Amino acid sequence: MIYENSDTGGHPIMEIVHDSTCKSPTPTIDHQHSISLKLFPRRTHLLLLFFALCIVVYYTKTNITTISVIVNVNSTIRSALEQIPTCNSRDRPRQEVLLTTLYAWTQFAREHNIQYWIAYGSLVGYVQRRGLLPHDGDTDILMLSQDTRHLVPFADTNFSSIYELKVHPQWHYIGYVGRSYYPAKGFNFIAPNARFIHRKLRYHVDIWPIYDFRPDRPKDRKNVTTTLTEYNVSYKWISSPIEWTFPLTPCNFSSILVWCPAKPESIVANLYGRSAVTKTNKKCVNQSWVSG
């Protein structure tokens, strides 16, 4: 919409000349052309002003919505943190960053249709207390190893000012034995295929591989398998029935909606022993988490 504004109540100002042979003043052709030229910049400025106003309104509404979502998420996470014990003054900040980083990963995965599920210490936390273990220093997820290729386009890009995604250059190597550290490039890990990392604080989500074949039996890769194989606590291969994992189910992890395996208790018991389903292996002693 174009608005015209002038000192005459919204109508264009027209310059007129008086013809000595006519009593009524009329604009000449030259002046009509002049009027057109004078009005063009005014209309253009108003049009640009209108579009600028639309852009400001749009982005203001978008930013308000984004800020509102962030505030709601932080409020929800802070409420969940009240249910997680602490042992010292450093625990709460660490726990909060771990949960907000995990939440950011879930949003990234949902936006890009990436399949994952929580694993290892995070799965133990879910089974024992439906959320983060108080002493945990990271969060863990599993992906089918071949799905790591979906992460590669986002590796080392500025998709976020807060988080970064590091995909190990040798992620396609089966197992960690043949992989190398590249500390100069930020790869101080070899067993996970990737990490989703808080840029400033460096807390992260470890992204581990799981295989739909036995990695120690590469000749069987083309055979139909009824198991999934991952690392155990000693970085040896351990398998479990595929129905323990699939179909994945949505679950609430410290108030964050994540994906869980179909039978989380069975997987935890297989990895850590039956006692890990109900009993933690850490306790607070003199403001430190110790095994016991």
Side-chain angles (χ1 to χ4, degrees):
M1 184 179 296
I2 300 175
Y3 296 96
E4 293 181 348
N5 191 13
S6 73
D7 296 333
T8 58
H11 299 286
I13 298 175
M14 300 176 63
E15 293 187 3
I16 58 176
V17 296
H18 291 274
D19 189 338
S20 58
T21 61
C22 182
K23 294 182 179 179
S24 300
T26 57
T28 65
I29 293 176
D30 288 340
H31 279 82
Q32 289 176 341
H33 181 66
S34 175
I35 292 167
S36 168
L37 292 176
K38 289 180 179 180
L39 288 176
F40 177 76
R42 188 173 298 175
R43 289 178 178 145
T44 303
H45 293 160
L46 290 171
L47 183 61
L48 292 174
L49 180 62
F50 174 75
F51 282 126
L53 181 61
C54 290
I55 291 171
V56 169
V57 170
Y58 171 78
Y59 281 105
T60 299
K61 288 182 177 180
T62 303
N63 288 338
I64 289 174
T65 301
T66 302
I67 292 170
S68 176
V69 170
I70 292 173
V71 169
N72 289 339
V73 169
N74 287 341
S75 177
T76 301
I77 288 176
R78 288 194 183 99
S79 296
L81 286 170
E82 295 175 2
Q83 309 303 316
I84 304 176
T86 61
C87 186
N88 55 62
S89 59
R90 300 182 301 276
D91 280 350
R92 188 64 82 220
R94 169 180 50 80
Q95 294 165 354
E96 183 170 358
V97 175
L98 286 175
L99 290 180
T100 53
T101 302
L102 177 62
Y103 174 78
W105 160 259
T106 66
Q107 300 308 292
F108 174 87
R110 184 176 67 175
E111 180 178 354
H112 300 291
N113 198 28
I114 295 169
Q115 180 178 258
Y116 74 93
W117 56 97
I118 58 172
Y120 299 118
S122 296
L123 189 62
V124 172
Y126 174 74
V127 168
Q128 290 183 1
R129 53 184 305 109
R130 293 300 185 258
L132 186 70
L133 289 174
H135 57 270
D136 228 344
D138 60 19
T139 53
D140 303 289
I141 64 169
L142 278 170
M143 290 177 56
L144 287 170
S145 186
Q146 60 266 32
D147 287 347
T148 307
R149 68 184 187 275
H150 300 309
L151 303 179
V152 173
F154 304 99
D156 298 317
T157 63
N158 292 322
F159 69 89
S160 168
S161 61
I162 302 175
Y163 304 99
E164 64 177 331
L165 181 64
K166 305 290 287 186
V167 179
H168 197 283
Q170 298 166 319
W171 68 266
H172 51 283
Y173 288 22
I174 299 172
Y176 70 93
V177 175
R179 300 181 184 183
S180 301
Y181 292 99
Y182 300 96
K185 296 182 179 180
F187 294 99
N188 58 350
F189 61 91
I190 55 174
N193 274 6
R195 275 181 176 172
F196 187 84
I197 308 169
H198 192 290
R199 290 181 183 272
K200 181 179 180 180
L201 302 175
R202 308 313 294 173
Y203 288 111
H204 58 266
V205 179
D206 266 333
I207 304 172
W208 298 89
I210 192 168
Y211 299 91
D212 54 2
F213 58 91
R214 283 297 300 254
D216 52 347
R217 302 173 191 171
K219 293 182 180 181
D220 294 340
R221 290 184 62 175
K222 295 183 179 179
N223 295 338
V224 176
T225 182
T226 58
T227 62
L228 293 176
T229 303
E230 61 189 294
Y231 294 118
N232 66 9
V233 293
S234 302
Y235 292 95
K236 304 296 183 182
W237 298 120
I238 186 171
S239 298
S240 60
I242 198 168
E243 60 267 22
W244 285 9
T245 295
F246 296 114
L248 299 177
T249 59
C251 53
N252 191 314
F253 181 91
S254 290
S255 299
I256 301 172
L257 187 63
V258 299
W259 289 102
C260 281
K263 297 183 178 180
E265 290 82 4
S266 297
I267 293 176
V268 167
N270 190 42
L271 284 168
Y272 302 102
R274 176 56 57 183
S275 63
V277 173
T278 57
K279 183 181 178 181
T280 182
N281 65 343
K282 296 286 185 178
K283 61 182 179 180
C284 179
V285 177
N286 297 326
Q287 297 187 340
S288 297
W289 294 104
V290 298
S291 299

